[in-house]
Amino acid sequence: MKIAIIGTGYVGLVTGACFAEIGHQVVCVDCDAEKIHTLKTGLMPIYEPGLDELVARNVAAGRLEFSTSTQEGVEKSTVIFIAVPTPPLPDGSVDLSFIEGVARDIARCMTGYRIIVDKSTVPVKTGEKVAETITRYCKSRVAFDVVSNPEFLREGFAVEDCLHPDRVVIGTNSARPVPTMKEIYAPLEAPIIVTDISSAELIKHAANSFLALKISYINAISVICEASGANVMEVANGIGMDSRIGRAFLDASLGFGGSCFPKDLSAFVKISEQLGYDFALLREVQHINAIQMDRFFKKIQDTLWVLKDKNIGVLGLAFKQNTDDVRQSPAIELCHRLQKEGAVLRVFDPKAMGKARAVLSNVTYLEDMNTVAEGCDALVIATEWPEFKQLDLQRVRATMVCPIVFDGRNLFDPAEMEQLGFIYKSIGR
Ligand code: UGA
């Protein structure tokens, strides 16, 4: 199948590379000439495990190419995926101007039947607007179909998720594009759900909101655990073994972040409001997330008393493991709060320090996780990188002024940490 992907961010680039990997002919288009140049030279604009090899292999095989021209993408392809950003507006609603702009560009270039597929996360009813826009701007009055095909990949596991999805959702109000869409995904051998456009759009927002709800739920339970002396990890394991609940996304933390959950929750609350429903449940999910960070910060403040001039080591800057993404990262927010109180920070992240430099200054960036706590009054763990479990804890303890560890990701066993001589404060235990 000949496919164009308009927008070469996380979703667009990974999807394009994965489509090429399963045998399709793909052109990835982006208006950012520098990004396309970078990709053409074989470098990746983002860190994503396995992506560089995947791109290199498919470029070499002649199945994947990059371009700055939407016209080239539309001319060469039968199916055009839109994977451009849908950033939040100040009132929580979604800025759909990139989607609209791309729909107009595609319409102007279309000379024959095309399937236009929305992969970006968008509010319900966007597909209808895209169809209207294409009809309005397509001079040659050619036939087309609009499909909603939301993406469920997680950063850090994007290639794996894209090649092995739990399900593929195809939302369309016409039968015509269904065989083509099924053909694209057939090599993945994943369950395919064919539904209408609005339901497909809602599946995406409803799924992300439910996952965020699970995290806020366990974070709320962590508060009860702290107050009662119970252990949130034991509780999560106990309830997670019920197959109706499941253990995934029940890791208590200092709160969720990233470019998806916070934005999608706000958007879903806003859309619901516009449709006449006050989604108070999701507003509470947002509230619990905000106070989870407040509570973690207060724990540090209460323990260290005065934060001014305290030396604090911070492990982890990315919003989660396996990514260099620091957008809406709880770790960065925590660093800013600590700095605001006058703390002096020494920080480390295995992959995110490059991107962190743009948003976090006046800190010492270190290259070795074992040196972060040297001379520190406390160490904070803010991201769940698995390598942090390999810390040389004896050495860390020996080099700290006060052996206090605040673990926002529950990476260590409290009893073992205490045995090693740490004052160890984690979440819900
Ligand atoms: C999320 C969804 O998981 C994807 O399915 C979806 O495709 C994507 O958004 C999107 O809309 O594009 P992502 O934002 O990459 O993916 O990250 P997640 O793995 O979902 O983690 C989000 C946040 O929740 C992170 O800050 C993570 O540390 C936190 N988290 C996750 C917890 O605090 N506890 C958990 O148990 C799980």
Side-chain angles (χ1 to χ4, degrees), residues 152-153 155 204 208 249 251 253 257 260 319-320 384 409:
F152 302 101
L153 58 81
E155 288 182 22
K204 172 69 192 201
N208 270 8
F249 278 69
D251 291 323
S253 65
C260 302
F319 81 98
K320 63 169 193 176
E384 71 277 34
R409 298 292 188 165

Side-chain angles (χ1 to χ4, degrees), residues 221-234:
I221 297 286
S222 79
V223 180
I224 309 294
C225 287
E226 284 180 22
S228 62
N231 181 330
V232 74
M233 287 174 84
E234 302 290 334

